[in-house]
């Protein structure tokens, strides 16, 4: 074992070999604290030795576990998890090990977040990331497995656009005079009529689209599956105007922003609706696709397949919408209509 200095680093670095494996790392102890650096090196060496000779798992910090988890996701999931990581690292002491996370820590975190009036969905997301990170490294590192995770009731959003709201958004974009407005309009129509996630849509290639048979084969990154979707008349017309482009949606960053602004302006004016069903966002167009199909009689199982859900449980939040046909039949019976 040896300590050494590295250029431009304020810390002592350690080096040793265990079972033929060369290990180098920063002790995080400054150059004026050689004794502290030796202690860190000795402890790490002993843990590595125990892991190799006795089969004991090495320690890992929460920050390291979080990073491993982040490295395995991308897109929106990465952005959401990164936010949760940053919040958790402000709560837990720096350098806290995964094996030292206690039930008291979990209860203290929950109590503090509730004191801060954090909403249920946000709270669930934070605990989901923490639990996922600990589960991810459980097989390779020491982790406290004796934790009871709280059941947090979240707000299930069923926000979808009414036909009037849809017209308002599309008319607002159609009235715009820029290319960005036109792109945002086309994207809105596409999302409304396919139910695709934003990322799935903007990453679509022409090879995924069969204009003759009016079908789209869409890869679902979340489930690693492929779904087949029909092409509506207005989507067919819109795509037909884009066949000279390398892809259906090219350079859409500003159009995405404009679409979000239009939805917010036209659909988030009622605080009562926001409190009951959540704010309308671009993802609301996917919810609108699902709700329209259910309200027009398509079964929950078939809508689930079109949305690319891995289980029907994910589609269950729309279940109450499919009762409209039941109410119509009941109304007919009450009014003496056909049975």
């Amino acid at each position: 074992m040896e300590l050494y200095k590295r250029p431009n680093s304020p810390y002592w670095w350690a080096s040793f070999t265990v079972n033929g494996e060369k290990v180098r790392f920063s002790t995080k102890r400054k150059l004026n604290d050689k004794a502290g650096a030796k202690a860190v090196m000795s402890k790490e060496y002993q843990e590595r030795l125990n892991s190799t000779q006795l089969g004991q798992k090495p320690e890992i910090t929460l920050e390291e576990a979080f990073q491993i988890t982040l490295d395995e996701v991308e897109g929106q999931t990465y952005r959401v998890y990164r936010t949760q990581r940053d919040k958790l690292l402000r709560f837990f002491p720096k350098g806290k090990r995964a094996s030292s996370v206690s039930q008291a820590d979990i209860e203290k975190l929950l109590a503090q977040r509730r004191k801060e009036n954090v909403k249920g969905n946000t709270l669930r997301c934070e605990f989901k990331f923490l639990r996922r990170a600990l589960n991810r490294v459980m097989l390779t590192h020491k982790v406290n497995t004796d934790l009871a995770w709280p059941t947090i009731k979240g707000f299930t959003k069923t926000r979808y656009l009414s036909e009037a709201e849809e017209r308002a958004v599309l008319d607002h974009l159609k009235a715009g005079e820029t290319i960005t407005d036109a792109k945002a309009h086309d994207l809105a129509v596409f999302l409304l009529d396919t139910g695709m996630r934003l990322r799935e849509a903007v990453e679509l290639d022409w090879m995924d689209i069969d204009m003759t048979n009016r079908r789209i084969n869409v890869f679902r990154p979340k489930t690693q599956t492929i779904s087949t979707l029909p092409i509506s008349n207005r989507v067919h017309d819109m795509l037909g105007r884009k066949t000279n482009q390398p892809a259906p949606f090219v350079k859409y960053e500003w159009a995405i922003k404009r679409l979000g602004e239009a939805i917010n302006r036209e659909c988030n004016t009622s605080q009562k609706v926001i409190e009951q069903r959540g704010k309308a966002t671009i993802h609301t167009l996917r919810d609108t696709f699902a709700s329209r199909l259910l309200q027009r009689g398509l079964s929950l199982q078939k809508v689930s397949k079109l949305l690319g859900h891995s289980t029907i449980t994910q589609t269950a939040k729309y279940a109450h919408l499919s009762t409209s046909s039941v109410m119509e039949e009941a109304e007919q019976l009450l009014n003496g209509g056909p049975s």
Side-chain angles (χ1 to χ4, degrees):
M1 293 191 296
E2 67 170 336
L3 292 174
Y4 64 97
K5 302 175 184 178
R6 292 188 63 174
N8 303 320
S9 174
Y11 304 117
W12 283 104
W13 283 68
S15 173
F16 54 77
T17 301
V18 176
N19 199 28
E21 178 187 359
K22 189 76 170 180
V23 179
R24 294 188 181 90
F25 64 97
S26 170
T27 66
K28 299 298 182 182
R29 296 296 184 271
K30 293 192 174 181
L31 299 177
N32 61 358
D33 184 18
K34 191 170 185 179
K38 283 184 177 180
V40 170
M41 178 176 63
S42 297
K43 185 176 181 181
E44 184 68 23
Y45 176 77
Q46 192 60 52
E47 289 179 352
R48 297 267 183 161
L49 196 63
N50 289 341
S51 175
T52 301
Q53 296 180 349
L54 305 178
Q56 294 180 1
K57 295 178 183 178
E59 293 280 2
I60 188 171
T61 65
L62 273 178
E63 186 170 5
E64 291 168 336
F66 292 162
Q67 190 58 52
I68 290 172
T69 306
L70 277 173
D71 289 342
E72 295 179 347
V73 297
E74 57 185 11
Q76 180 63 16
T77 302
Y78 175 84
R79 289 188 286 274
V80 171
Y81 279 3
R82 183 179 58 190
T83 299
Q84 307 313 317
R85 176 203 61 185
D86 293 345
K87 290 193 296 183
L88 287 166
L89 289 178
R90 287 194 293 270
F91 173 83
F92 288 108
K94 186 174 179 60
K96 186 175 182 65
R97 296 187 172 189
S99 62
S100 70
V101 177
S102 66
Q103 194 64 45
D105 290 328
I106 299 298
E107 293 171 3
K108 183 179 178 181
L109 173 62
L110 182 60
Q112 180 169 317
R113 293 295 185 252
R114 284 180 170 162
K115 186 177 180 181
E116 296 168 353
N117 293 319
V118 175
K119 293 183 178 179
N121 283 350
T122 302
L123 196 53
R124 286 174 64 186
C125 189
E126 187 172 3
F127 275 91
K128 179 182 177 181
F129 173 69
L130 176 59
R131 187 173 186 176
R132 176 170 176 170
L134 293 176
N135 287 341
R136 170 60 185 82
V137 298
M138 190 179 297
L139 294 177
T140 54
H141 295 81
K142 288 183 181 180
V143 172
N144 182 8
T145 58
D146 189 24
L147 296 173
W149 295 95
T151 300
I152 301 168
K153 186 176 180 180
F155 172 50
T156 302
K157 295 180 181 179
T158 54
R159 182 68 166 104
Y160 52 90
L161 304 187
S162 66
E163 293 186 1
E165 287 176 323
E166 177 183 328
R167 284 195 301 271
V169 171
L170 296 181
D171 288 347
H172 175 82
L173 294 171
K174 194 179 293 184
E177 299 179 352
T178 68
I179 294 177
T180 299
D181 289 309
K183 283 185 171 183
H185 178 276
D186 288 348
L187 181 59
V189 167
F190 187 83
L191 295 175
L192 281 164
D193 286 9
T194 64
M196 291 172 63
R197 299 179 181 88
L198 177 60
R199 177 188 168 194
E200 294 167 348
V202 298
E203 292 182 356
L204 206 61
D205 291 322
W206 286 117
M207 63 183 295
D208 303 317
I209 301 173
D210 183 348
M211 293 289 284
T212 302
N213 295 307
R214 299 168 76 108
R215 295 288 182 269
I216 299 174
N217 291 319
V218 53
F219 175 69
R220 309 287 190 178
K222 291 187 72 172
T223 58
Q224 299 294 299
T225 58
I226 295 177
S227 301
T228 301
L229 299 171
I231 297 177
S232 67
N233 289 335
R234 60 178 180 174
V235 168
H236 190 272
D237 293 341
M238 182 269 291
L239 291 175
R241 292 184 271 105
K242 298 178 180 291
T243 52
N244 61 332
Q245 300 178 176
F249 302 104
V250 180
K251 296 182 179 179
Y252 260 68
E253 292 82 4
W254 286 103
I256 292 170
K257 183 179 180 181
R258 185 65 55 83
L259 175 56
E261 292 171 347
I263 292 172
N264 185 58
R265 173 176 171 172
E266 300 296 335
C267 308
N268 290 325
T269 56
S270 170
Q271 188 60 36
K272 182 178 179 181
V273 172
I274 292 174
E275 290 174 357
Q276 291 177 342
R277 293 163 51 200
K279 290 187 69 173
T281 65
I282 291 178
H283 191 80
T284 301
L285 305 185
R286 176 173 164 85
D287 291 337
T288 302
F289 168 84
S291 66
R292 296 270 169 84
L293 293 178
L294 283 165
Q295 289 168 337
R296 292 168 186 173
L298 200 64
S299 71
L300 199 63
Q301 290 84 353
K302 291 176 180 178
V303 171
S304 180
K305 189 172 182 179
L306 290 172
L307 291 174
H309 286 165
S310 56
T311 67
I312 197 172
T313 304
Q314 297 171 275
T315 325
K317 71 174 183 176
Y318 305 109
H320 68 287
L321 299 172
S322 61
T323 61
S324 57
S325 60
V326 177
M327 290 187 292
E328 289 170 5
E329 290 179 25
E331 184 179 12
Q332 286 183 349
L333 288 171
L334 290 170
N335 292 328
S339 60

